[in-house]
Short mmCIF file of all heavy atoms in Angstrom, two decimals:
data_model
loop_
_atom_site.label_atom_id
_atom_site.label_comp_id
_atom_site.label_asym_id
_atom_site.label_seq_id
_atom_site.Cartn_x
_atom_site.Cartn_y
_atom_site.Cartn_z
N TYR A 17 -13.58 3.73 13.42
CA TYR A 17 -13.25 4.76 12.39
C TYR A 17 -11.87 5.30 12.64
O TYR A 17 -11.42 5.58 13.74
CB TYR A 17 -14.27 5.89 12.45
CG TYR A 17 -15.69 5.55 12.13
CD1 TYR A 17 -16.53 4.99 13.21
CD2 TYR A 17 -16.27 5.45 10.92
CE1 TYR A 17 -17.80 4.58 12.94
CE2 TYR A 17 -17.53 5.22 10.66
CZ TYR A 17 -18.33 4.68 11.66
OH TYR A 17 -19.56 4.25 11.47
N THR A 18 -11.12 5.49 11.55
CA THR A 18 -9.73 6.15 11.65
C THR A 18 -9.88 7.40 10.86
O THR A 18 -10.46 7.47 9.75
CB THR A 18 -8.67 5.21 11.15
OG1 THR A 18 -8.87 5.00 9.71
CG2 THR A 18 -8.62 3.95 11.85
N VAL A 19 -9.20 8.40 11.36
CA VAL A 19 -8.98 9.66 10.58
C VAL A 19 -7.66 10.03 10.35
O VAL A 19 -6.82 9.91 11.19
CB VAL A 19 -9.61 10.86 11.39
CG1 VAL A 19 -9.39 12.17 10.78
CG2 VAL A 19 -11.25 10.66 11.53
N THR A 20 -7.35 10.36 9.00
CA THR A 20 -5.97 10.60 8.55
C THR A 20 -6.06 11.90 7.87
O THR A 20 -6.51 12.04 6.71
CB THR A 20 -5.35 9.58 7.73
OG1 THR A 20 -5.42 8.31 8.38
CG2 THR A 20 -3.82 9.80 7.48
N PHE A 21 -5.49 13.03 8.44
CA PHE A 21 -5.55 14.32 7.86
C PHE A 21 -4.63 14.44 6.66
O PHE A 21 -4.69 15.23 5.71
CB PHE A 21 -5.19 15.41 8.77
CG PHE A 21 -6.42 15.85 9.66
CD1 PHE A 21 -6.71 15.17 10.76
CD2 PHE A 21 -7.20 16.95 9.20
CE1 PHE A 21 -7.90 15.65 11.56
CE2 PHE A 21 -8.31 17.26 9.89
CZ PHE A 21 -8.70 16.59 11.02
N ASN A 22 -3.38 13.80 6.80
CA ASN A 22 -2.32 14.06 5.80
C ASN A 22 -1.68 12.58 5.39
O ASN A 22 -0.66 12.30 5.65
CB ASN A 22 -1.20 14.73 6.63
CG ASN A 22 -0.30 15.54 5.66
OD1 ASN A 22 -0.74 15.69 4.43
ND2 ASN A 22 0.77 16.15 6.21
N PRO A 23 -2.60 11.86 4.64
CA PRO A 23 -2.13 10.62 4.11
C PRO A 23 -1.06 10.77 3.05
O PRO A 23 -0.70 11.82 2.71
CB PRO A 23 -3.46 10.00 3.50
CG PRO A 23 -4.16 11.18 3.09
CD PRO A 23 -3.84 12.13 4.10
N SER A 24 -0.37 9.60 2.74
CA SER A 24 0.78 9.74 1.79
C SER A 24 0.71 8.48 0.99
O SER A 24 0.20 7.41 1.30
CB SER A 24 2.07 9.89 2.59
OG SER A 24 2.21 8.70 3.38
N LEU A 25 1.52 8.50 -0.12
CA LEU A 25 2.02 7.37 -0.87
C LEU A 25 3.49 7.07 -0.48
O LEU A 25 4.27 7.95 -0.71
CB LEU A 25 1.93 7.60 -2.39
CG LEU A 25 2.21 6.43 -3.26
CD1 LEU A 25 1.12 5.33 -2.94
CD2 LEU A 25 2.23 6.87 -4.74
N ASP A 26 3.65 6.05 0.31
CA ASP A 26 5.10 5.81 0.83
C ASP A 26 5.79 5.01 -0.24
O ASP A 26 5.49 3.89 -0.54
CB ASP A 26 5.02 5.06 2.15
CG ASP A 26 4.46 5.90 3.27
OD1 ASP A 26 4.38 7.18 3.03
OD2 ASP A 26 4.30 5.36 4.37
N TYR A 27 6.97 5.64 -0.62
CA TYR A 27 7.93 4.93 -1.53
C TYR A 27 9.05 4.51 -0.75
O TYR A 27 9.84 5.22 -0.40
CB TYR A 27 8.19 6.06 -2.68
CG TYR A 27 9.14 5.48 -3.79
CD1 TYR A 27 8.95 4.33 -4.42
CD2 TYR A 27 10.25 6.27 -4.24
CE1 TYR A 27 9.79 3.83 -5.35
CE2 TYR A 27 11.03 5.76 -5.16
CZ TYR A 27 10.86 4.61 -5.73
OH TYR A 27 11.65 4.20 -6.81
N ILE A 28 9.13 3.14 -0.64
CA ILE A 28 10.13 2.60 0.25
C ILE A 28 11.14 1.92 -0.68
O ILE A 28 10.86 0.98 -1.45
CB ILE A 28 9.48 1.56 1.19
CG1 ILE A 28 8.45 2.21 2.11
CG2 ILE A 28 10.65 0.90 2.13
CD1 ILE A 28 7.66 1.24 2.86
N VAL A 29 12.39 2.31 -0.62
CA VAL A 29 13.49 1.86 -1.51
C VAL A 29 14.71 1.40 -0.81
O VAL A 29 15.02 1.92 0.44
CB VAL A 29 13.96 2.95 -2.37
CG1 VAL A 29 12.79 3.37 -3.44
CG2 VAL A 29 14.47 4.15 -1.62
N ASP A 30 15.27 0.30 -1.28
CA ASP A 30 16.60 -0.11 -0.83
C ASP A 30 17.68 0.36 -1.66
O ASP A 30 17.58 -0.02 -2.96
CB ASP A 30 16.52 -1.66 -0.67
CG ASP A 30 17.75 -2.34 -0.12
OD1 ASP A 30 18.59 -1.55 0.25
OD2 ASP A 30 17.88 -3.49 -0.19
N VAL A 31 18.51 1.11 -1.29
CA VAL A 31 19.72 1.71 -2.13
C VAL A 31 21.00 1.20 -1.48
O VAL A 31 21.34 1.73 -0.34
CB VAL A 31 19.65 3.17 -2.15
CG1 VAL A 31 20.79 3.70 -3.02
CG2 VAL A 31 18.23 3.58 -2.70
N LYS A 32 21.63 0.18 -2.11
CA LYS A 32 22.92 -0.26 -1.59
C LYS A 32 24.06 0.80 -1.83
O LYS A 32 24.15 1.38 -2.79
CB LYS A 32 23.33 -1.60 -2.35
CG LYS A 32 22.27 -2.64 -2.38
CD LYS A 32 21.90 -3.11 -0.92
CE LYS A 32 20.90 -4.29 -0.99
NZ LYS A 32 20.53 -4.82 0.35
N GLY A 33 24.76 1.01 -0.67
CA GLY A 33 25.86 1.89 -0.79
C GLY A 33 25.54 3.38 -1.12
O GLY A 33 26.15 4.01 -2.03
N PHE A 34 24.40 3.89 -0.57
CA PHE A 34 23.89 5.30 -0.92
C PHE A 34 25.04 6.29 -0.74
O PHE A 34 25.70 6.31 0.26
CB PHE A 34 22.75 5.61 -0.09
CG PHE A 34 22.14 6.96 -0.28
CD1 PHE A 34 21.33 7.15 -1.34
CD2 PHE A 34 22.59 8.01 0.66
CE1 PHE A 34 20.78 8.37 -1.58
CE2 PHE A 34 22.09 9.29 0.31
CZ PHE A 34 21.11 9.57 -0.71
N ALA A 35 25.07 7.03 -1.80
CA ALA A 35 26.16 8.18 -1.78
C ALA A 35 25.58 9.50 -2.10
O ALA A 35 24.86 9.66 -3.15
CB ALA A 35 27.36 7.76 -2.70
N LEU A 36 25.86 10.53 -1.23
CA LEU A 36 25.38 11.89 -1.50
C LEU A 36 26.09 12.47 -2.84
O LEU A 36 27.32 12.20 -3.03
CB LEU A 36 25.64 12.71 -0.28
CG LEU A 36 24.81 12.46 0.90
CD1 LEU A 36 25.33 13.41 2.04
CD2 LEU A 36 23.35 12.85 0.63
N GLY A 37 25.41 13.15 -3.63
CA GLY A 37 25.98 13.80 -4.77
C GLY A 37 26.19 12.83 -5.92
O GLY A 37 26.84 13.25 -6.91
N MET A 38 25.78 11.58 -5.83
CA MET A 38 25.92 10.64 -6.88
C MET A 38 24.53 10.09 -7.28
O MET A 38 23.48 10.19 -6.65
CB MET A 38 26.80 9.46 -6.41
CG MET A 38 28.12 9.86 -5.83
SD MET A 38 29.19 10.51 -7.06
CE MET A 38 29.65 8.99 -7.93
N THR A 39 24.56 9.43 -8.49
CA THR A 39 23.28 8.85 -8.99
C THR A 39 23.24 7.47 -8.31
O THR A 39 24.17 6.66 -8.36
CB THR A 39 23.31 8.51 -10.52
OG1 THR A 39 23.36 9.86 -11.19
CG2 THR A 39 22.10 7.82 -10.88
N ASN A 40 22.16 7.27 -7.54
CA ASN A 40 21.86 5.99 -6.84
C ASN A 40 20.76 5.23 -7.45
O ASN A 40 19.75 5.83 -7.84
CB ASN A 40 21.65 6.26 -5.34
CG ASN A 40 22.79 7.02 -4.66
OD1 ASN A 40 23.57 6.39 -4.11
ND2 ASN A 40 22.66 8.36 -4.58
N ARG A 41 20.83 3.86 -7.55
CA ARG A 41 19.86 3.14 -8.04
C ARG A 41 19.22 2.13 -7.04
O ARG A 41 19.98 1.67 -6.18
CB ARG A 41 20.34 2.29 -9.22
CG ARG A 41 20.95 3.24 -10.36
CD ARG A 41 21.28 2.50 -11.69
NE ARG A 41 21.92 3.34 -12.65
CZ ARG A 41 21.27 4.19 -13.36
NH1 ARG A 41 19.98 4.35 -13.27
NH2 ARG A 41 21.91 5.01 -14.19
N THR A 42 17.98 1.93 -7.10
CA THR A 42 17.32 1.11 -6.17
C THR A 42 17.61 -0.42 -6.42
O THR A 42 17.70 -0.86 -7.54
CB THR A 42 15.90 1.20 -6.11
OG1 THR A 42 15.37 0.95 -7.33
CG2 THR A 42 15.52 2.76 -5.84
N ALA A 43 17.79 -1.22 -5.41
CA ALA A 43 17.95 -2.56 -5.35
C ALA A 43 16.59 -3.30 -5.25
O ALA A 43 16.34 -4.26 -5.68
CB ALA A 43 18.79 -3.18 -4.23
N SER A 44 15.66 -2.55 -4.54
CA SER A 44 14.14 -2.95 -4.43
C SER A 44 13.37 -1.76 -4.11
O SER A 44 13.89 -0.69 -3.59
CB SER A 44 14.01 -4.08 -3.40
OG SER A 44 14.29 -3.48 -2.14
N GLU A 45 12.10 -1.84 -4.31
CA GLU A 45 11.36 -0.79 -4.12
C GLU A 45 9.85 -1.32 -3.98
O GLU A 45 9.31 -2.20 -4.46
CB GLU A 45 11.29 0.34 -5.16
CG GLU A 45 10.99 -0.24 -6.57
CD GLU A 45 11.28 0.84 -7.68
OE1 GLU A 45 12.06 1.71 -7.40
OE2 GLU A 45 10.77 0.66 -8.80
N MET A 46 9.10 -0.57 -3.04
CA MET A 46 7.71 -0.82 -2.69
C MET A 46 6.92 0.50 -2.60
O MET A 46 7.48 1.42 -2.15
CB MET A 46 7.50 -1.66 -1.46
CG MET A 46 8.32 -3.01 -1.49
SD MET A 46 8.12 -3.94 0.11
CE MET A 46 9.12 -2.83 1.11
N MET A 47 5.67 0.39 -2.86
CA MET A 47 4.74 1.57 -2.66
C MET A 47 3.56 1.13 -1.82
O MET A 47 2.87 0.14 -2.13
CB MET A 47 4.27 2.17 -4.00
CG MET A 47 5.28 2.96 -4.67
SD MET A 47 4.53 3.98 -6.02
CE MET A 47 5.92 4.85 -6.59
N PHE A 48 3.25 1.92 -0.90
CA PHE A 48 2.06 1.63 0.11
C PHE A 48 1.35 2.93 0.36
O PHE A 48 1.91 4.04 0.44
CB PHE A 48 2.60 0.99 1.44
CG PHE A 48 3.38 -0.11 1.34
CD1 PHE A 48 4.62 -0.34 1.74
CD2 PHE A 48 2.77 -1.34 0.86
CE1 PHE A 48 5.47 -1.36 1.71
CE2 PHE A 48 3.50 -2.46 0.77
CZ PHE A 48 4.77 -2.55 1.17
N PRO A 49 -0.01 2.71 0.56
CA PRO A 49 -0.65 3.88 1.13
C PRO A 49 -0.14 4.18 2.53
O PRO A 49 -0.15 3.13 3.31
CB PRO A 49 -2.17 3.45 1.05
CG PRO A 49 -2.13 2.02 0.96
CD PRO A 49 -0.94 1.64 0.37
N GLY A 50 0.14 5.34 2.93
CA GLY A 50 0.81 5.60 4.19
C GLY A 50 -0.09 6.68 5.06
O GLY A 50 -1.03 7.46 4.46
N GLY A 51 0.33 6.87 6.24
CA GLY A 51 -0.52 7.65 7.16
C GLY A 51 -0.97 6.87 8.24
O GLY A 51 -1.53 5.75 8.07
N LYS A 52 -0.80 7.41 9.50
CA LYS A 52 -1.05 6.51 10.67
C LYS A 52 -2.51 5.89 10.78
O LYS A 52 -2.62 4.70 11.07
CB LYS A 52 -0.75 7.26 11.95
CG LYS A 52 0.71 7.64 12.07
CD LYS A 52 1.03 8.41 13.29
CE LYS A 52 1.18 7.60 14.55
NZ LYS A 52 2.39 6.63 14.39
#
């Protein structure tokens, strides 16, 4: 049995050349149920 108090939906994105203060667009993205 596993117990997870604080599960999450993990949104994993690849952003090429990420820049603060700018609009950034994903090159790829995945969603997984998360939490250890």
Side-chain angles (χ1 to χ4, degrees):
Y17 296 86
T18 65
V19 171
T20 309
F21 276 91
N22 208 10
S24 62
L25 187 63
D26 287 354
Y27 180 45
I28 303 172
V29 296
D30 180 9
V31 181
K32 306 297 185 186
F34 178 81
L36 290 172
M38 304 292 290
T39 298
N40 296 273
R41 302 190 184 279
T42 61
S44 66
E45 54 189 22
M46 297 178 289
M47 279 193 181
F48 300 117
K52 297 180 78 64

